[in-house]
Amino acid sequence: MRSALQHPIFSSLLFLLLWQGLSSLLVSPALPTPAEVFHELYGETASGQLPFHLWKTLQRLLLSFGLAMGLGSLIGIFLGRHEKLDRFFDNWLVIFLNIPALVTIILCYVWFGLTELAAISAVVANKLPNVVVTVREGARALDRDLLEMALAYRFGRWKTLRHVIWPQLFPYLIGAARTGIALTWKIILVVELLGRSNGMGYQLHLFFQMFNVAGILAYTIAFVLVIQCIETLILKPLDRHAKRWRR
Amino acid sequence: MSKIVIDIRKKTYPARHGSGEHVAIKNLRIELGAGEFVCLVGPSGCGKTTLLNLIAGLDRQFEGVIGTGAGVAPRIAYMFQNPRLLPWRTVRENIDLALPDSQYGGDVDHLLDVMGLAESQGQYPERLSLGMSRRVALVRAFAIQPTLLLMDEPFVSLDAPTARRVRQLLIRVWQERPHTVLFVTHDLREAITLADRLLFLSAPPTSLLHEVTVDIPRPAREDEAVVEAFRNRLITGHPEISELL
Protein backbone atom coordinates (compact mmCIF):
# COMPACT_ATOMS: atom_id res chain seq x y z
CA MET A 1 0.00 0.00 0.00
CA ARG A 2 2.79 2.34 0.96
CA SER A 3 4.61 1.84 -2.34
CA ALA A 4 1.38 2.48 -4.22
CA LEU A 5 1.00 5.78 -2.36
CA GLN A 6 4.46 6.81 -3.50
CA HIS A 7 3.78 6.11 -7.14
CA PRO A 8 3.81 9.31 -9.25
CA ILE A 9 0.47 8.37 -10.83
CA PHE A 10 -1.11 8.44 -7.42
CA SER A 11 0.06 11.96 -6.71
CA SER A 12 -1.14 13.14 -10.12
CA LEU A 13 -4.53 11.53 -9.53
CA LEU A 14 -4.78 13.21 -6.15
CA PHE A 15 -4.02 16.54 -7.80
CA LEU A 16 -6.78 16.04 -10.38
CA LEU A 17 -9.18 14.97 -7.64
CA LEU A 18 -8.50 18.11 -5.60
CA TRP A 19 -8.92 20.25 -8.68
CA GLN A 20 -12.23 18.55 -9.53
CA GLY A 21 -13.47 18.90 -5.96
CA LEU A 22 -12.57 22.55 -5.71
CA SER A 23 -14.03 23.51 -9.08
CA SER A 24 -17.34 21.67 -8.52
CA LEU A 25 -17.54 23.33 -5.11
CA LEU A 26 -16.98 26.85 -6.47
CA VAL A 27 -18.93 26.47 -9.74
CA SER A 28 -17.22 29.55 -11.14
CA PRO A 29 -15.84 30.36 -14.62
CA ALA A 30 -12.65 31.36 -12.82
CA LEU A 31 -11.89 27.69 -12.12
CA PRO A 32 -13.22 25.29 -14.75
CA THR A 33 -13.31 21.55 -14.06
CA PRO A 34 -10.60 19.29 -15.48
CA ALA A 35 -13.12 17.90 -17.95
CA GLU A 36 -13.84 21.36 -19.36
CA VAL A 37 -10.12 22.09 -19.69
CA PHE A 38 -9.43 18.83 -21.50
CA HIS A 39 -12.40 19.48 -23.78
CA GLU A 40 -10.90 22.87 -24.63
CA LEU A 41 -7.50 21.27 -25.13
CA TYR A 42 -9.02 18.79 -27.56
CA GLY A 43 -10.99 21.47 -29.42
CA GLU A 44 -7.99 23.78 -29.82
CA THR A 45 -5.79 20.90 -30.96
CA ALA A 46 -8.36 19.67 -33.46
CA SER A 47 -8.82 23.18 -34.90
CA GLY A 48 -5.05 23.45 -35.42
CA GLN A 49 -4.87 26.64 -33.36
CA LEU A 50 -2.90 25.16 -30.49
CA PRO A 51 -0.32 23.27 -32.60
CA PHE A 52 0.28 26.41 -34.69
CA HIS A 53 0.92 28.73 -31.76
CA LEU A 54 2.81 26.09 -29.81
CA TRP A 55 5.11 25.51 -32.77
CA LYS A 56 5.71 29.27 -33.16
CA THR A 57 6.76 29.50 -29.53
CA LEU A 58 8.91 26.38 -29.76
CA GLN A 59 10.71 27.80 -32.79
CA ARG A 60 11.52 30.96 -30.87
CA LEU A 61 12.55 28.86 -27.90
CA LEU A 62 14.95 26.69 -29.89
CA LEU A 63 16.48 29.59 -31.78
CA SER A 64 17.02 31.87 -28.79
CA PHE A 65 18.06 29.00 -26.54
CA GLY A 66 20.61 27.83 -29.10
CA LEU A 67 21.98 31.31 -29.60
CA ALA A 68 22.20 31.99 -25.88
CA MET A 69 23.92 28.66 -25.19
CA GLY A 70 26.40 29.04 -28.04
CA LEU A 71 27.35 32.65 -27.41
CA GLY A 72 27.27 32.22 -23.64
CA SER A 73 29.57 29.20 -23.79
CA LEU A 74 32.10 31.01 -25.96
CA ILE A 75 32.14 34.08 -23.70
CA GLY A 76 32.14 31.92 -20.57
CA ILE A 77 35.11 29.81 -21.70
CA PHE A 78 36.98 32.94 -22.75
CA LEU A 79 36.42 34.72 -19.44
CA GLY A 80 37.18 31.59 -17.46
CA ARG A 81 40.57 31.25 -19.14
CA HIS A 82 41.61 34.93 -18.99
CA GLU A 83 41.75 36.12 -15.42
CA LYS A 84 42.39 39.80 -16.15
CA LEU A 85 39.55 40.16 -18.66
CA ASP A 86 37.33 38.27 -16.29
CA ARG A 87 38.00 40.72 -13.47
CA PHE A 88 37.37 43.61 -15.84
CA PHE A 89 34.04 42.32 -17.15
CA ASP A 90 32.78 40.87 -13.88
CA ASN A 91 30.85 44.06 -13.04
CA TRP A 92 29.20 44.06 -16.43
CA LEU A 93 27.98 40.53 -15.83
CA VAL A 94 26.56 41.44 -12.45
CA ILE A 95 24.69 44.36 -14.00
CA PHE A 96 23.27 42.23 -16.82
CA LEU A 97 22.30 39.48 -14.41
CA ASN A 98 20.26 41.93 -12.38
CA ILE A 99 18.38 43.70 -15.16
CA PRO A 100 14.74 42.55 -14.90
CA ALA A 101 13.60 40.50 -17.89
CA LEU A 102 10.75 42.92 -18.56
CA VAL A 103 13.16 45.84 -18.95
CA THR A 104 15.23 44.04 -21.58
CA ILE A 105 12.10 43.07 -23.46
CA ILE A 106 10.68 46.59 -23.50
CA LEU A 107 14.03 48.08 -24.50
CA CYS A 108 14.46 45.60 -27.34
CA TYR A 109 11.01 46.43 -28.71
CA VAL A 110 11.69 50.16 -28.39
CA TRP A 111 15.07 49.88 -30.12
CA PHE A 112 14.34 47.31 -32.82
CA GLY A 113 10.59 47.76 -33.26
CA LEU A 114 7.93 45.05 -32.83
CA THR A 115 9.88 42.54 -34.91
CA GLU A 116 10.95 38.94 -34.67
CA LEU A 117 14.56 40.08 -34.31
CA ALA A 118 13.64 42.17 -31.28
CA ALA A 119 11.80 39.24 -29.73
CA ILE A 120 14.68 36.83 -30.18
CA SER A 121 17.31 39.31 -28.99
CA ALA A 122 15.28 40.05 -25.89
CA VAL A 123 15.22 36.39 -24.93
CA VAL A 124 18.89 35.87 -25.73
CA ALA A 125 19.89 38.96 -23.73
CA ASN A 126 17.97 37.62 -20.75
CA LYS A 127 19.44 34.15 -20.82
CA LEU A 128 23.01 34.94 -21.89
CA PRO A 129 24.47 36.16 -18.55
CA ASN A 130 23.28 32.98 -16.82
CA VAL A 131 25.03 30.77 -19.36
CA VAL A 132 28.19 32.85 -19.18
CA VAL A 133 28.36 32.61 -15.39
CA THR A 134 27.79 28.84 -15.32
CA VAL A 135 30.22 28.01 -18.12
CA ARG A 136 32.82 30.40 -16.70
CA GLU A 137 32.72 28.40 -13.47
CA GLY A 138 33.49 25.28 -15.50
CA ALA A 139 36.32 26.90 -17.43
CA ARG A 140 37.88 28.14 -14.20
CA ALA A 141 37.75 24.68 -12.69
CA LEU A 142 39.62 22.96 -15.55
CA ASP A 143 42.11 20.44 -14.21
CA ARG A 144 45.64 21.78 -14.68
CA ASP A 145 47.22 18.36 -14.16
CA LEU A 146 45.33 16.93 -17.11
CA LEU A 147 46.09 19.93 -19.32
CA GLU A 148 49.80 19.44 -18.55
CA MET A 149 49.48 15.76 -19.37
CA ALA A 150 47.91 16.66 -22.73
CA LEU A 151 50.73 19.10 -23.39
CA ALA A 152 53.45 16.61 -22.43
CA TYR A 153 51.97 13.94 -24.71
CA ARG A 154 51.58 16.41 -27.61
CA PHE A 155 47.81 16.06 -27.85
CA GLY A 156 47.48 19.17 -29.99
CA ARG A 157 44.60 21.64 -29.93
CA TRP A 158 41.79 19.51 -31.29
CA LYS A 159 42.50 16.40 -29.20
CA THR A 160 42.90 18.50 -26.06
CA LEU A 161 39.63 20.30 -26.70
CA ARG A 162 37.68 17.17 -27.47
CA HIS A 163 39.05 14.74 -24.88
CA VAL A 164 40.35 16.92 -22.05
CA ILE A 165 38.41 20.19 -21.98
CA TRP A 166 35.01 19.31 -23.42
CA PRO A 167 34.24 16.47 -20.98
CA GLN A 168 35.01 18.81 -18.09
CA LEU A 169 32.75 21.56 -19.42
CA PHE A 170 29.90 19.28 -20.43
CA PRO A 171 28.26 18.97 -16.98
CA TYR A 172 28.26 22.76 -16.67
CA LEU A 173 26.71 23.14 -20.12
CA ILE A 174 24.00 20.63 -19.29
CA GLY A 175 23.37 22.46 -16.02
CA ALA A 176 23.03 25.72 -17.90
CA ALA A 177 20.74 24.08 -20.46
CA ARG A 178 18.43 22.57 -17.86
CA THR A 179 17.92 25.76 -15.90
CA GLY A 180 17.97 27.69 -19.16
CA ILE A 181 15.11 25.95 -20.89
CA ALA A 182 12.76 26.54 -17.97
CA LEU A 183 13.72 30.20 -17.74
CA THR A 184 13.68 30.85 -21.48
CA TRP A 185 10.18 29.69 -22.22
CA LYS A 186 8.72 31.78 -19.43
CA ILE A 187 10.42 34.84 -20.86
CA ILE A 188 9.28 34.02 -24.38
CA LEU A 189 5.64 34.09 -23.28
CA VAL A 190 6.07 37.64 -21.98
CA VAL A 191 7.88 38.64 -25.17
CA GLU A 192 5.00 37.30 -27.26
CA LEU A 193 2.38 38.86 -25.04
CA LEU A 194 3.94 42.29 -25.45
CA GLY A 195 4.79 42.42 -29.11
CA ARG A 196 3.98 39.40 -31.28
CA SER A 197 0.82 38.38 -33.11
CA ASN A 198 1.25 34.64 -32.73
CA GLY A 199 2.65 32.14 -30.24
CA MET A 200 1.56 30.97 -26.82
CA GLY A 201 1.98 34.36 -25.17
CA TYR A 202 -0.22 36.03 -27.75
CA GLN A 203 -2.94 33.40 -27.32
CA LEU A 204 -2.82 33.63 -23.54
CA HIS A 205 -3.27 37.38 -23.84
CA LEU A 206 -6.33 36.81 -26.00
CA PHE A 207 -7.81 34.32 -23.55
CA PHE A 208 -7.15 36.75 -20.73
CA GLN A 209 -9.14 39.47 -22.50
CA MET A 210 -12.01 37.06 -23.11
CA PHE A 211 -11.77 35.69 -19.58
CA ASN A 212 -11.36 32.18 -20.98
CA VAL A 213 -9.66 30.40 -18.07
CA ALA A 214 -10.20 26.96 -19.59
CA GLY A 215 -8.24 28.09 -22.65
CA ILE A 216 -5.41 29.42 -20.52
CA LEU A 217 -5.17 26.16 -18.58
CA ALA A 218 -5.40 24.04 -21.73
CA TYR A 219 -2.46 25.86 -23.33
CA THR A 220 -0.51 25.65 -20.09
CA ILE A 221 -0.96 21.89 -19.92
CA ALA A 222 0.13 21.45 -23.53
CA PHE A 223 3.23 23.52 -23.04
CA VAL A 224 4.26 21.95 -19.75
CA LEU A 225 3.98 18.54 -21.41
CA VAL A 226 6.22 19.57 -24.29
CA ILE A 227 8.89 21.07 -22.01
CA GLN A 228 8.77 17.99 -19.79
CA CYS A 229 9.35 15.83 -22.87
CA ILE A 230 12.41 17.87 -23.85
CA GLU A 231 13.74 17.47 -20.32
CA THR A 232 13.20 13.71 -19.99
CA LEU A 233 13.90 12.68 -23.59
CA ILE A 234 16.89 14.90 -24.38
CA LEU A 235 18.50 16.64 -21.43
CA LYS A 236 18.31 13.87 -18.83
CA PRO A 237 19.80 11.19 -21.12
CA LEU A 238 22.58 13.61 -22.07
CA ASP A 239 23.28 14.22 -18.41
CA ARG A 240 23.39 10.50 -17.71
CA HIS A 241 25.69 9.96 -20.67
CA ALA A 242 28.09 12.58 -19.33
CA LYS A 243 28.23 10.89 -15.93
CA ARG A 244 28.64 7.31 -17.14
CA TRP A 245 32.30 7.12 -16.10
CA ARG A 246 31.64 8.07 -12.49
CA ARG A 247 31.80 5.38 -9.89
CA MET B 1 69.34 7.81 -30.62
CA SER B 2 71.86 10.23 -29.28
CA LYS B 3 72.76 11.71 -25.97
CA ILE B 4 70.63 14.42 -24.44
CA VAL B 5 72.15 17.52 -22.90
CA ILE B 6 70.30 19.51 -20.28
CA ASP B 7 71.97 22.78 -19.46
CA ILE B 8 69.97 25.13 -17.27
CA ARG B 9 71.71 28.32 -16.30
CA LYS B 10 68.88 29.74 -14.27
CA LYS B 11 65.26 29.07 -13.50
CA THR B 12 63.46 31.54 -11.27
CA TYR B 13 59.92 31.97 -10.10
CA PRO B 14 58.78 35.59 -10.08
CA ALA B 15 58.20 37.35 -6.78
CA ARG B 16 54.77 36.82 -5.30
CA HIS B 17 53.24 38.98 -2.61
CA GLY B 18 54.84 37.86 0.63
CA SER B 19 57.97 36.32 -0.82
CA GLY B 20 60.72 37.53 -3.11
CA GLU B 21 62.01 36.03 -6.33
CA HIS B 22 62.76 32.37 -5.87
CA VAL B 23 65.73 30.85 -7.68
CA ALA B 24 64.78 27.21 -8.23
CA ILE B 25 67.67 25.95 -10.36
CA LYS B 26 71.10 27.43 -11.02
CA ASN B 27 73.91 26.18 -13.27
CA LEU B 28 72.69 22.64 -13.62
CA ARG B 29 74.21 20.60 -16.41
CA ILE B 30 73.27 16.99 -17.00
CA GLU B 31 74.19 14.69 -19.87
CA LEU B 32 72.14 11.59 -20.50
CA GLY B 33 73.69 8.86 -22.61
CA ALA B 34 71.56 7.06 -25.18
CA GLY B 35 69.60 4.27 -23.51
CA GLU B 36 70.90 5.19 -20.10
CA PHE B 37 68.82 4.87 -16.92
CA VAL B 38 69.59 7.85 -14.70
CA CYS B 39 68.12 8.54 -11.26
CA LEU B 40 67.90 12.03 -9.84
CA VAL B 41 68.09 11.90 -6.06
CA GLY B 42 67.50 14.88 -3.82
CA PRO B 43 65.51 16.20 -0.88
CA SER B 44 61.84 17.00 -1.43
CA GLY B 45 61.31 20.53 -2.68
CA CYS B 46 64.68 20.58 -4.42
CA GLY B 47 63.21 21.43 -7.79
CA LYS B 48 63.19 17.95 -9.30
CA THR B 49 59.64 18.29 -10.62
CA THR B 50 60.50 21.77 -11.91
CA LEU B 51 63.42 20.26 -13.81
CA LEU B 52 61.26 17.54 -15.38
CA ASN B 53 58.64 20.13 -16.39
CA LEU B 54 61.35 22.14 -18.11
CA ILE B 55 62.60 19.10 -20.00
CA ALA B 56 59.06 18.09 -20.98
CA GLY B 57 58.43 21.57 -22.38
CA LEU B 58 55.61 22.34 -19.94
CA ASP B 59 57.46 25.41 -18.73
CA ARG B 60 59.54 27.44 -21.18
CA GLN B 61 60.43 30.30 -18.83
CA PHE B 62 64.09 29.58 -18.13
CA GLU B 63 67.61 30.44 -19.24
CA GLY B 64 69.48 27.60 -20.85
CA VAL B 65 69.18 24.87 -23.46
CA ILE B 66 67.80 21.37 -23.54
CA GLY B 67 68.41 19.23 -26.57
CA THR B 68 70.08 16.45 -28.42
CA GLY B 69 73.35 16.86 -30.24
CA ALA B 70 71.69 15.78 -33.47
CA GLY B 71 69.17 18.59 -33.29
CA VAL B 72 66.20 16.21 -33.44
CA ALA B 73 63.82 16.78 -30.55
CA PRO B 74 63.54 13.62 -28.46
CA ARG B 75 60.12 12.01 -28.24
CA ILE B 76 59.28 12.47 -24.60
CA ALA B 77 56.96 10.46 -22.37
CA TYR B 78 56.24 11.82 -18.93
CA MET B 79 55.03 9.76 -16.01
CA PHE B 80 53.78 12.15 -13.35
CA GLN B 81 53.61 11.66 -9.60
CA ASN B 82 49.88 11.02 -9.87
CA PRO B 83 48.64 8.90 -12.79
CA ARG B 84 46.78 11.77 -14.55
CA LEU B 85 44.43 9.57 -16.53
CA LEU B 86 41.34 11.08 -18.14
CA PRO B 87 38.54 9.78 -15.90
CA TRP B 88 35.98 9.98 -18.72
CA ARG B 89 37.95 7.75 -21.06
CA THR B 90 38.56 4.04 -20.61
CA VAL B 91 42.00 2.60 -19.87
CA ARG B 92 42.47 1.67 -23.50
CA GLU B 93 41.28 5.07 -24.78
CA ASN B 94 43.64 6.82 -22.36
CA ILE B 95 46.57 4.96 -23.87
CA ASP B 96 45.46 5.26 -27.49
CA LEU B 97 44.93 9.01 -27.14
CA ALA B 98 48.57 9.56 -26.20
CA LEU B 99 49.81 7.77 -29.31
CA PRO B 100 50.88 9.88 -32.27
CA ASP B 101 48.59 9.25 -35.26
CA SER B 102 51.31 7.41 -37.17
CA GLN B 103 51.64 4.79 -34.49
CA TYR B 104 48.08 3.78 -33.74
CA GLY B 105 47.63 0.32 -32.21
CA GLY B 106 51.27 -0.70 -32.11
CA ASP B 107 52.32 -2.83 -29.20
CA VAL B 108 49.72 -1.59 -26.74
CA ASP B 109 48.24 -5.08 -26.44
CA HIS B 110 51.60 -6.54 -25.55
CA LEU B 111 52.26 -3.86 -22.95
CA LEU B 112 48.83 -4.32 -21.38
CA ASP B 113 49.55 -8.03 -21.17
CA VAL B 114 52.91 -7.53 -19.51
CA MET B 115 51.41 -5.15 -16.95
CA GLY B 116 48.49 -7.48 -16.25
CA LEU B 117 45.94 -4.95 -17.50
CA ALA B 118 44.52 -6.78 -20.52
CA GLU B 119 41.30 -7.56 -18.61
CA SER B 120 40.81 -3.98 -17.45
CA GLN B 121 41.25 -2.10 -20.69
CA GLY B 122 37.53 -1.34 -21.00
CA GLN B 123 37.29 0.05 -17.47
CA TYR B 124 37.10 3.68 -16.43
CA PRO B 125 40.08 4.82 -14.31
CA GLU B 126 37.97 5.70 -11.25
CA ARG B 127 37.21 2.02 -10.80
CA LEU B 128 40.91 1.08 -10.65
CA SER B 129 43.16 0.90 -7.60
CA LEU B 130 46.06 3.33 -7.37
CA GLY B 131 48.54 0.60 -8.25
CA MET B 132 46.60 -0.27 -11.40
CA SER B 133 46.25 3.38 -12.41
CA ARG B 134 50.02 3.77 -12.05
CA ARG B 135 50.50 0.76 -14.31
CA VAL B 136 48.15 2.27 -16.89
CA ALA B 137 50.16 5.49 -16.78
CA LEU B 138 53.30 3.41 -17.28
CA VAL B 139 51.81 1.64 -20.30
CA ARG B 140 50.79 5.02 -21.73
CA ALA B 141 54.36 6.26 -21.29
CA PHE B 142 55.90 3.17 -22.91
CA ALA B 143 53.31 2.94 -25.69
CA ILE B 144 54.45 6.09 -27.47
CA GLN B 145 57.91 4.50 -27.75
CA PRO B 146 59.73 7.47 -26.27
CA THR B 147 63.40 8.22 -26.75
CA LEU B 148 63.31 9.92 -23.37
CA LEU B 149 61.10 8.77 -20.51
CA LEU B 150 60.67 11.16 -17.60
CA MET B 151 59.43 9.70 -14.32
CA ASP B 152 58.56 11.81 -11.31
CA GLU B 153 58.50 9.64 -8.17
CA PRO B 154 56.01 7.40 -9.95
CA PHE B 155 55.89 4.71 -7.29
CA VAL B 156 55.49 6.84 -4.20
CA SER B 157 52.58 5.84 -1.91
CA LEU B 158 52.36 2.35 -3.41
CA ASP B 159 52.67 -0.47 -0.90
CA ALA B 160 56.09 -2.14 -0.91
CA PRO B 161 55.21 -5.39 -2.77
CA THR B 162 53.27 -3.54 -5.48
CA ALA B 163 56.05 -1.00 -5.88
CA ARG B 164 58.63 -3.80 -6.24
CA ARG B 165 56.49 -5.55 -8.84
CA VAL B 166 55.96 -2.38 -10.90
CA ARG B 167 59.67 -1.59 -10.67
CA GLN B 168 60.51 -5.02 -12.07
CA LEU B 169 57.99 -4.48 -14.88
CA LEU B 170 59.57 -1.13 -15.64
CA ILE B 171 63.03 -2.67 -15.98
CA ARG B 172 61.67 -5.54 -18.05
CA VAL B 173 60.00 -3.27 -20.61
CA TRP B 174 62.97 -0.90 -20.62
CA GLN B 175 65.28 -3.82 -21.45
CA GLU B 176 62.93 -4.99 -24.22
CA ARG B 177 63.23 -1.64 -25.93
CA PRO B 178 66.09 0.48 -24.57
CA HIS B 179 65.56 4.22 -24.27
CA THR B 180 66.85 6.96 -22.02
CA VAL B 181 65.12 7.21 -18.64
CA LEU B 182 65.33 10.09 -16.20
CA PHE B 183 63.84 8.91 -12.94
CA VAL B 184 63.26 11.23 -9.99
CA THR B 185 63.11 9.82 -6.49
CA HIS B 186 64.04 10.62 -2.92
CA ASP B 187 64.37 6.93 -2.06
CA LEU B 188 68.04 5.96 -2.36
CA ARG B 189 67.33 2.21 -2.29
CA GLU B 190 64.89 2.57 -5.17
CA ALA B 191 67.46 4.61 -7.09
CA ILE B 192 70.22 2.02 -6.59
CA THR B 193 67.89 -0.80 -7.66
CA LEU B 194 66.98 0.93 -10.91
CA ALA B 195 69.73 3.20 -12.16
CA ASP B 196 72.91 3.01 -14.19
CA ARG B 197 73.94 6.30 -12.72
CA LEU B 198 72.83 8.38 -9.73
CA LEU B 199 72.81 12.17 -9.75
CA PHE B 200 72.52 13.90 -6.38
CA LEU B 201 70.90 17.32 -6.38
CA SER B 202 71.27 20.03 -3.75
CA ALA B 203 68.56 22.02 -2.00
CA PRO B 204 67.45 25.11 -4.00
CA PRO B 205 68.92 26.78 -5.91
CA THR B 206 69.35 23.29 -7.31
CA SER B 207 72.66 22.25 -8.77
CA LEU B 208 74.49 18.97 -9.27
CA LEU B 209 76.17 17.89 -6.04
CA HIS B 210 77.53 14.47 -6.80
CA GLU B 211 77.50 11.71 -9.37
CA VAL B 212 77.77 7.96 -8.76
CA THR B 213 77.78 5.07 -11.23
CA VAL B 214 75.93 1.99 -9.97
CA ASP B 215 78.08 -0.95 -11.02
CA ILE B 216 76.01 -3.77 -9.54
CA PRO B 217 74.97 -6.20 -12.31
CA ARG B 218 71.18 -6.05 -12.85
CA PRO B 219 70.33 -9.61 -11.74
CA ALA B 220 72.20 -9.07 -8.45
CA ARG B 221 69.98 -6.09 -7.62
CA GLU B 222 67.10 -8.40 -6.75
CA ASP B 223 69.02 -9.08 -3.56
CA GLU B 224 68.19 -6.41 -1.01
CA ALA B 225 71.38 -7.05 0.95
CA VAL B 226 73.51 -6.09 -2.06
CA VAL B 227 71.57 -2.85 -2.54
CA GLU B 228 71.78 -2.13 1.18
CA ALA B 229 75.56 -2.68 1.20
CA PHE B 230 76.00 -0.35 -1.76
CA ARG B 231 73.91 2.28 0.01
CA ASN B 232 75.93 2.05 3.22
CA ARG B 233 79.20 2.36 1.33
CA LEU B 234 77.83 5.38 -0.48
CA ILE B 235 76.70 7.14 2.66
CA THR B 236 79.90 6.49 4.62
CA GLY B 237 81.99 7.53 1.62
CA HIS B 238 79.99 10.72 1.05
CA PRO B 239 78.56 12.07 4.29
CA GLU B 240 77.08 15.05 2.42
CA ILE B 241 74.63 12.67 0.73
CA SER B 242 73.10 11.48 3.96
CA GLU B 243 72.44 15.08 4.90
CA LEU B 244 70.30 15.41 1.79
CA LEU B 245 68.08 12.44 2.49
Side-chain angles (χ1 to χ4, degrees), chain B residues 56-70:
Chain B
L58 300 184
D59 182 352
R60 299 187 189 278
Q61 308 290 317
F62 69 101
E63 294 169 33
V65 274
I66 295 168
T68 55

Side-chain angles (χ1 to χ4, degrees), chain A residues 143-149 151-155 159 162-168 242 244-247, chain B residues 56-58 76-80 82 84-89 97-99 101 124 126-127 140-141 144:
Chain A
D143 190 324
R144 270 197 61 171
D145 280 6
L146 293 178
L147 288 172
E148 277 186 2
M149 186 279 293
L151 189 59
Y153 281 97
R154 308 274 184 275
F155 269 35
K159 250 194 202 176
R162 176 155 172 233
H163 299 285
V164 184
I165 295 178
W166 173 250
Q168 294 185 65
R244 72 199 180 286
W245 50 274
R246 284 182 203 276
R247 241 184 325 175
Chain B
L58 300 184
I76 295 173
Y78 193 165
M79 200 178 158
F80 301 90
N82 42 354
R84 301 202 188 178
L85 304 172
L86 300 172
W88 39 83
R89 295 287 180 264
L97 276 172
L99 298 175
D101 295 334
Y124 287 103
E126 292 211 346
R127 303 205 171 92
R140 178 176 63 188
I144 72 163

Side-chain angles (χ1 to χ4, degrees), chain B residues 92-143:
Chain B
R92 182 63 187 231
E93 286 166 345
N94 262 285
I95 298 163
D96 285 343
L97 276 172
L99 298 175
D101 295 334
S102 57
Q103 201 193 316
Y104 208 75
D107 54 2
V108 175
D109 287 316
H110 168 68
L111 287 168
L112 285 170
D113 256 354
V114 173
M115 294 287 172
L117 289 166
E119 305 283 302
S120 325
Q121 52 179 311
Q123 297 252 27
Y124 287 103
E126 292 211 346
R127 303 205 171 92
L128 304 178
S129 67
L130 181 62
M132 281 171 98
S133 304
R134 288 261 162 87
R135 268 157 31 214
V136 176
L138 196 57
V139 170
R140 178 176 63 188
F142 280 134

